[in-house]
Amino acid sequence: MHERRHGERLRAAGAGRRHRLVFVDRVLVALAHMRLDLTHAALAELFDVDRCTVTKAIGQIRPLLAARGFANPTGFRLRTLADVFAYAQAEGVCLRLDGTEIQVRRPAAHRPGRRRFVSGKPRQNTHKCTVASDS
Protein backbone atom coordinates (compact mmCIF):
# COMPACT_ATOMS: atom_id res chain seq x y z
CA MET A 1 0.00 0.00 0.00
CA HIS A 2 2.86 2.36 0.80
CA GLU A 3 4.27 1.90 -2.71
CA ARG A 4 0.90 2.39 -4.38
CA ARG A 5 0.26 5.61 -2.44
CA HIS A 6 3.83 6.88 -3.01
CA GLY A 7 3.97 8.04 0.59
CA GLU A 8 2.72 7.71 4.13
CA ARG A 9 -0.81 6.95 5.28
CA LEU A 10 -3.28 9.75 4.72
CA ARG A 11 -5.09 9.10 8.01
CA ALA A 12 -4.22 7.65 11.36
CA ALA A 13 -4.36 3.91 11.90
CA GLY A 14 -7.80 2.87 13.10
CA ALA A 15 -9.51 6.01 11.83
CA GLY A 16 -12.51 5.90 9.50
CA ARG A 17 -15.85 4.18 9.51
CA ARG A 18 -16.32 0.93 11.37
CA HIS A 19 -17.70 -2.09 9.56
CA ARG A 20 -21.26 -2.93 10.54
CA LEU A 21 -20.49 -6.54 9.60
CA VAL A 22 -17.29 -8.06 10.92
CA PHE A 23 -15.31 -10.26 8.54
CA VAL A 24 -16.92 -13.51 9.69
CA ASP A 25 -20.40 -12.04 9.19
CA ARG A 26 -19.44 -10.81 5.72
CA VAL A 27 -18.31 -14.32 4.79
CA LEU A 28 -21.56 -15.76 6.13
CA VAL A 29 -23.60 -13.22 4.18
CA ALA A 30 -21.75 -14.04 0.96
CA LEU A 31 -22.04 -17.80 1.46
CA ALA A 32 -25.74 -17.58 2.34
CA HIS A 33 -26.36 -15.51 -0.78
CA MET A 34 -24.44 -17.84 -3.08
CA ARG A 35 -25.54 -21.14 -1.55
CA LEU A 36 -29.14 -20.45 -0.54
CA ASP A 37 -29.85 -17.74 -3.12
CA LEU A 38 -31.29 -15.43 -0.48
CA THR A 39 -31.97 -11.89 -1.64
CA HIS A 40 -29.92 -8.98 -0.39
CA ALA A 41 -32.99 -7.55 1.34
CA ALA A 42 -33.62 -10.80 3.23
CA LEU A 43 -30.00 -11.01 4.34
CA ALA A 44 -30.12 -7.38 5.44
CA GLU A 45 -33.08 -8.20 7.68
CA LEU A 46 -31.33 -11.27 9.11
CA PHE A 47 -28.14 -9.37 9.97
CA ASP A 48 -29.92 -6.11 10.93
CA VAL A 49 -28.05 -3.94 8.43
CA ASP A 50 -28.94 -1.97 5.31
CA ARG A 51 -29.27 -3.72 1.95
CA CYS A 52 -26.35 -1.78 0.47
CA THR A 53 -24.12 -3.08 3.30
CA VAL A 54 -24.98 -6.63 2.24
CA THR A 55 -24.28 -5.80 -1.41
CA LYS A 56 -20.89 -4.35 -0.49
CA ALA A 57 -20.01 -7.34 1.71
CA ILE A 58 -20.83 -9.82 -1.06
CA GLY A 59 -18.79 -7.76 -3.52
CA GLN A 60 -15.81 -7.85 -1.16
CA ILE A 61 -15.96 -11.55 -0.27
CA ARG A 62 -16.83 -13.12 -3.63
CA PRO A 63 -13.42 -12.34 -5.24
CA LEU A 64 -11.65 -13.70 -2.14
CA LEU A 65 -13.58 -16.96 -2.37
CA ALA A 66 -12.93 -17.18 -6.11
CA ALA A 67 -9.20 -16.71 -5.53
CA ARG A 68 -9.25 -19.64 -3.08
CA GLY A 69 -10.98 -21.92 -5.57
CA PHE A 70 -14.63 -21.54 -4.53
CA ALA A 71 -15.84 -20.83 -8.04
CA ASN A 72 -16.29 -22.72 -11.25
CA PRO A 73 -12.88 -23.49 -12.81
CA THR A 74 -13.65 -21.67 -16.05
CA GLY A 75 -14.00 -18.38 -14.21
CA PHE A 76 -17.06 -17.09 -16.05
CA ARG A 77 -20.62 -16.85 -14.78
CA LEU A 78 -23.17 -19.36 -15.97
CA ARG A 79 -25.93 -16.99 -17.04
CA THR A 80 -28.11 -19.22 -19.19
CA LEU A 81 -29.30 -22.80 -18.99
CA ALA A 82 -27.25 -23.57 -22.10
CA ASP A 83 -24.13 -22.38 -20.25
CA VAL A 84 -24.96 -24.71 -17.35
CA PHE A 85 -25.38 -27.69 -19.68
CA ALA A 86 -22.15 -26.91 -21.55
CA TYR A 87 -20.22 -26.57 -18.29
CA ALA A 88 -21.67 -29.81 -16.90
CA GLN A 89 -20.82 -31.72 -20.07
CA ALA A 90 -17.26 -30.36 -20.12
CA GLU A 91 -16.70 -31.28 -16.47
CA GLY A 92 -18.50 -34.65 -16.66
CA VAL A 93 -21.14 -33.66 -14.09
CA CYS A 94 -24.53 -35.40 -14.10
CA LEU A 95 -27.23 -32.75 -13.65
CA ARG A 96 -30.66 -33.16 -12.07
CA LEU A 97 -33.37 -30.74 -13.13
CA ASP A 98 -36.51 -29.83 -11.25
CA GLY A 99 -39.19 -27.44 -12.38
CA THR A 100 -41.81 -26.00 -10.10
CA GLU A 101 -44.37 -23.23 -9.86
CA ILE A 102 -44.81 -20.98 -6.86
CA GLN A 103 -48.23 -19.43 -6.51
CA VAL A 104 -48.19 -15.64 -6.12
CA ARG A 105 -50.89 -13.09 -5.47
CA ARG A 106 -52.56 -11.65 -8.52
CA PRO A 107 -51.95 -7.90 -9.00
CA ALA A 108 -54.90 -5.60 -8.42
CA ALA A 109 -57.22 -4.69 -11.28
CA HIS A 110 -56.01 -2.07 -13.76
CA ARG A 111 -52.41 -2.51 -12.61
CA PRO A 112 -49.49 -3.43 -14.86
CA GLY A 113 -48.54 -7.08 -14.84
CA ARG A 114 -52.02 -8.42 -14.12
CA ARG A 115 -51.86 -10.94 -16.97
CA ARG A 116 -48.23 -11.82 -16.25
CA PHE A 117 -47.26 -15.11 -14.59
CA VAL A 118 -50.56 -16.82 -15.46
CA SER A 119 -50.12 -20.58 -15.52
CA GLY A 120 -51.75 -22.70 -18.20
CA LYS A 121 -54.32 -25.19 -16.99
CA PRO A 122 -54.81 -24.21 -13.33
CA ARG A 123 -55.08 -20.52 -14.36
CA GLN A 124 -53.15 -19.40 -11.29
CA ASN A 125 -50.66 -16.60 -11.09
CA THR A 126 -47.33 -18.31 -10.56
CA HIS A 127 -43.61 -17.78 -10.77
CA LYS A 128 -41.96 -20.62 -12.65
CA CYS A 129 -38.47 -21.73 -11.74
CA THR A 130 -36.09 -24.47 -12.81
CA VAL A 131 -33.42 -25.77 -10.43
CA ALA A 132 -30.32 -27.57 -11.72
CA SER A 133 -28.07 -29.39 -9.24
CA ASP A 134 -25.48 -32.11 -9.14
CA SER A 135 -25.39 -35.06 -6.76
Side-chain angles (χ1 to χ4, degrees), residues 9-124:
R9 289 181 58 90
L10 299 179
R11 68 173 103 170
R17 293 187 66 185
R18 302 288 184 259
H19 287 291
R20 289 289 311 261
L21 293 174
V22 295
F23 181 74
V24 174
D25 288 340
R26 286 185 275 164
V27 171
L28 288 175
V29 164
L31 290 175
H33 173 68
M34 291 187 294
R35 184 71 176 164
L36 304 174
D37 200 28
L38 292 174
T39 63
H40 292 200
L43 289 168
E45 286 293 321
L46 286 174
F47 284 86
D48 195 29
V49 293
D50 194 53
R51 186 187 54 78
C52 64
T53 304
V54 170
T55 303
K56 187 181 291 185
I58 292 170
Q60 291 171 348
I61 299 299
R62 187 176 290 198
L64 297 176
L65 291 174
R68 298 291 297 166
F70 292 99
N72 57 347
T74 57
F76 65 90
R77 288 183 80 171
L78 305 174
R79 297 183 185 272
T80 65
L81 198 54
D83 291 343
V84 173
F85 286 136
Y87 172 73
Q89 184 177 11
E91 294 295 319
V93 176
C94 180
L95 288 180
R96 296 177 181 164
L97 293 177
D98 180 33
T100 186
E101 294 181 345
I102 302 168
Q103 189 173 357
V104 295
R105 293 185 65 156
R106 187 173 185 187
H110 309 295
R111 296 283 180 164
R114 180 152 169 98
R115 293 183 176 265
R116 193 173 177 198
F117 305 124
V118 176
S119 182
K121 191 168 185 175
R123 300 297 297 166
Q124 297 174 340

